[in-house]
Amino acid sequence: MSAPPGLPSPDELLKKAEEYLKELEKGPWPSHVAEMRKTGYPLHVYGVGLVARKSPWGPSVVKTKRLTGVLARIARDWVPGGGEEVHFRVFNTPGKFYPTDYLRKLIKISRELGIGLIEAVGQTGAIVINVKGKDVADKMIDALREIGTDVGGSGDAIRELNACVGPALCEFALYDTLHWFVEFRKDKRIHDAITVPGLPYKFKIKFSGCPMDCARANRADLGFIGVWKGAPEVDQELLRKKIENKEVDVHELVAGCPAKAITWDETKKELIIDGSRCKKSMNCIRKAFPAIKPGKERRVAVVVGGGSKGRYGPKLGWFIGYLKPDEVKKAIDLTFKVIEPWDKEAPAKNRLGDYILMEGLYKFIEKAGIDLEDTPRIIEKLPDNVPYRVLPEEERKKYADFAEKIKQVVKV
């Protein structure tokens, strides 16, 4: 690959790269460059990339005896001195809780077979451990398996699972995200789909305990989000005390509801929430907890097709129904129902959300055989003169009412 135009000679380029790196070490805050100097990372390649304002890395390949999906990069030919970087995505712990003995074992492996660099909390959910080189890749895999973990989640596979801390630390958790994480991980079908790529593209599964969505489940190919049905619970007496103590501004509380589902009865001094309109934003709960709490009828909302990248751009997941908090086994089976039509029909490098956009949500639901509580349905029979064959009854009625309003305006 040719060098970007305007770069200095190789010696000058390395000198300039070092100037950039030293600049990043200045200041009272911790410096990622200073920490990376303590490891075996080819830092000069990173510095050259900063100078060139272009990625200095090109793709490389690592072959292992029993595994695929290990990631490797090699410095492009215009980078002086070259360099190689190999890393594994390693299974994480539920909620990213690390027992100290387990963490010590990971560090020992990283120092002996790696370069002493670990990314413990990656956005995808995995731990990332850098390897000394291709020749020790198999040794590191064996060492990681000996301490009870494994390598996987790279390439066109199910990526490493990601869960929020759930009931371990959060009072808002509406189902046990950590238990769901463990049950998914224990399933052999899930394990095999993480360790060996075989899907049209990557597939992310995330568990968020409540609608605040700390695990970003609404941006996953398959997300499970704790919710409740109906209105939040309101402790009117406690809420009145909070209002009197100026801990809560009730008018701000009412105005902040995105669904306009909240009203304040000034005479009775009571807060009224219309459960049929509540969108579960948790704005009122965050501002007035524990005077306002999630409702007791708990559910796990299932969303599909989310992602920050894709052929058609970023998108949030589509709701396809509810599960109950104890239906984790059903959720695992549902995972493969969701994957099946996408795996059979989607072109390579199309995320699940891209496939759903091409097929239509209701056709996808039908192909996958999804049958959950409150799964969106296409109405079975429509009048012959209505062309909305792919719309559910509620949505069709909205369009019909809108058309009638336009007709009235035109008549006037």
Side-chain angles (χ1 to χ4, degrees):
M1 181 179 178
S2 61
L7 286 184
S9 67
D11 288 344
E12 285 295 316
L13 183 57
L14 287 175
K15 183 179 178 181
K16 193 73 173 175
E18 186 60 24
E19 290 175 6
Y20 274 50
L21 294 172
K22 286 182 177 178
E23 185 66 28
L24 290 172
E25 291 183 274
K26 293 178 180 178
W29 49 84
S31 166
H32 67 287
V33 173
E35 294 303 311
M36 288 172 71
R37 286 194 192 277
K38 301 174 185 177
T39 73
Y41 190 84
L43 199 56
H44 71 284
V45 181
Y46 173 57
V48 166
L50 293 176
V51 176
R53 297 188 178 184
K54 188 172 183 178
S55 174
W57 295 111
S60 184
V61 176
V62 173
K63 291 185 178 179
T64 59
K65 295 177 182 178
R66 300 170 294 279
L67 203 66
T68 57
V70 178
L71 300 179
R73 300 184 296 181
I74 190 168
R76 298 193 185 277
D77 54 15
W78 50 265
V79 176
E84 182 185 53
E85 188 269 330
V86 183
H87 64 267
F88 292 158
R89 283 189 176 133
V90 179
F91 286 6
N92 218 322
T93 52
K96 301 181 178 67
F97 288 98
Y98 303 116
T100 53
D101 62 332
Y102 175 73
L103 198 55
R104 287 191 183 96
K105 290 174 183 176
L106 278 180
I107 293 170
K108 184 174 184 289
I109 291 171
S110 178
R111 286 174 175 168
E112 291 178 354
L113 301 173
I115 63 173
L117 183 62
I118 299 175
E119 181 185 352
V121 187
Q123 183 177 343
T124 59
I127 295 175
V128 175
I129 298 184
N130 289 72
V131 189
K132 276 183 180 176
K134 299 175 181 179
D135 55 327
V136 297
D138 281 315
K139 290 181 181 178
M140 181 174 272
I141 291 171
D142 288 339
L144 289 167
R145 286 175 172 170
E146 283 179 12
I147 68 170
T149 188
D150 208 341
V151 176
S154 296
D156 299 334
I158 292 180
R159 293 296 172 90
E160 169 59 328
L161 311 176
N162 200 1
C164 71
V165 296
L169 289 178
C170 182
E171 64 267 34
F172 295 125
L174 302 175
Y175 77 105
D176 193 339
T177 55
L178 306 181
H179 172 68
W180 279 50
F181 183 105
V182 170
E183 290 301 315
F184 266 71
R185 174 67 62 67
K186 283 162 55 179
D187 189 274
K188 187 178 185 302
R189 295 168 295 171
I190 295 287
H191 180 277
D192 290 348
I194 293 176
T195 54
V196 181
L199 300 175
Y201 204 10
K202 58 188 174 184
F203 188 90
K204 297 182 179 181
I205 304 173
K206 298 183 179 182
F207 310 93
S208 282
C210 78
M212 285 190 277
D213 199 12
C214 291
R216 298 182 290 276
N218 211 357
R219 284 172 45 192
D221 297 274
L222 179 60
F224 300 95
I225 304 173
V227 293
W228 66 93
K229 301 196 77 173
E233 288 188 349
V234 182
D235 184 332
Q236 301 290 355
E237 185 178 347
L238 180 56
L239 181 61
R240 281 192 287 270
K241 288 180 181 178
K242 283 183 169 287
I243 294 169
E244 290 168 6
N245 295 334
K246 299 190 183 305
E247 296 175 36
V248 174
D249 183 334
V250 70
H251 301 294
E252 182 182 301
L253 202 67
V254 172
C257 177
K260 305 303 178 188
I262 302 177
T263 54
W264 172 250
D265 188 325
E266 189 64 45
T267 304
K268 296 182 179 179
K269 301 293 183 184
E270 288 187 354
L271 195 75
I272 302 164
I273 303 178
D274 183 350
S276 65
R277 297 174 63 185
C278 176
K279 299 299 183 184
K280 314 298 187 285
S281 72
M282 290 188 69
N283 182 64
C284 62
I285 295 173
R286 283 179 288 180
K287 289 182 179 297
F289 188 82
I292 305 178
K293 294 181 180 180
K296 290 183 178 179
E297 193 177 353
R298 306 291 168 81
R299 292 292 186 274
V300 179
V302 185
V303 294
V304 296
S308 58
K309 296 179 182 179
R311 300 184 74 87
Y312 300 103
K315 58 187 75 67
L316 295 177
W318 287 275
F319 169 76
I320 60 167
Y322 293 116
L323 289 164
K324 293 180 180 177
D326 61 353
E327 292 185 321
V328 60
K329 298 296 184 185
K330 189 173 180 179
I332 296 170
D333 292 337
L334 174 67
T335 300
F336 293 96
K337 283 187 176 183
V338 166
I339 286 175
E340 186 176 2
W342 169 66
D343 187 27
K344 286 182 178 178
E345 301 176 6
K349 300 305 177 183
N350 276 251
R351 293 285 292 271
L352 176 66
D354 301 326
Y355 172 72
I356 292 173
L357 277 176
M358 291 186 288
E359 286 294 304
L361 177 62
Y362 300 101
K363 191 173 180 181
F364 166 74
I365 287 172
E366 184 180 351
K367 282 187 174 184
I370 296 168
D371 184 18
L372 304 176
E373 182 182 344
D374 287 354
T375 293
R377 308 286 182 192
I378 300 174
I379 61 173
E380 295 181 2
K381 188 175 181 180
L382 286 170
D384 293 335
N385 63 342
V386 178
Y388 310 108
R389 294 294 183 182
V390 298
L391 297 180
E393 174 65 16
E394 181 182 355
E395 198 169 341
R396 187 199 67 78
K397 188 175 183 304
K398 286 180 181 179
Y399 279 108
D401 291 344
F402 179 64
E404 285 298 323
K405 290 177 181 178
I406 291 177
K407 285 166 63 178
Q408 295 298 322
V409 171
V410 171
K411 285 179 182 179
V412 172

